[in-house]
Amino acid sequence: KYRLNLPSQATTSLTFTAQGRGLASEAVRALIALLFEATRAGQVVAITDARNTASIQLLERVGMQRVATAQAEFRGIPCVEYTYAVGRA
């Protein structure tokens, strides 16, 4: 078994040539499965900028649901962040 110290953070980023091939979806699904297998976590949470439509589509594609919207600041500029979550199956 893997041992993880929570809370943990993971980010996704793909080069333009690697986008649109399902790699990020596959990676995020695998990460969620690993977290549920290796920890007692009841849910996995993701936060993304509301302007990042690619990330929003990815999170929804892997079965995450939007659970919150909050005002935030990124590099000194006000923005909106969406929080997504998925629980154990």
Side-chain angles (χ1 to χ4, degrees), residues 3-88:
R3 300 213 181 260
L4 301 173
N5 293 321
L6 298 178
S8 297
Q9 179 176 332
T11 61
T12 60
S13 181
L14 292 174
T15 63
F16 181 75
T17 57
Q19 294 174 8
R21 296 170 38 201
L23 299 173
S25 296
E26 184 178 340
V28 172
R29 283 187 187 103
L31 177 60
I32 291 169
L34 175 62
L35 287 170
F36 286 141
E37 176 188 322
T39 72
R40 295 181 190 158
Q43 69 176 353
V44 174
V45 175
I47 300 171
T48 189
D49 189 303
R51 299 168 292 187
N52 191 338
T53 57
S55 287
I56 292 166
Q57 291 170 349
L58 169 64
L59 297 173
E60 292 176 353
R61 193 166 41 253
V62 301
M64 300 189 86
Q65 301 290 316
R66 188 183 315 170
V67 296
T69 301
Q71 296 297 315
E73 191 173 293
F74 181 71
R75 297 182 180 163
I77 300 171
C79 64
V80 175
E81 288 182 335
Y82 293 152
T83 300
Y84 283 80
V86 63
R88 286 185 179 272

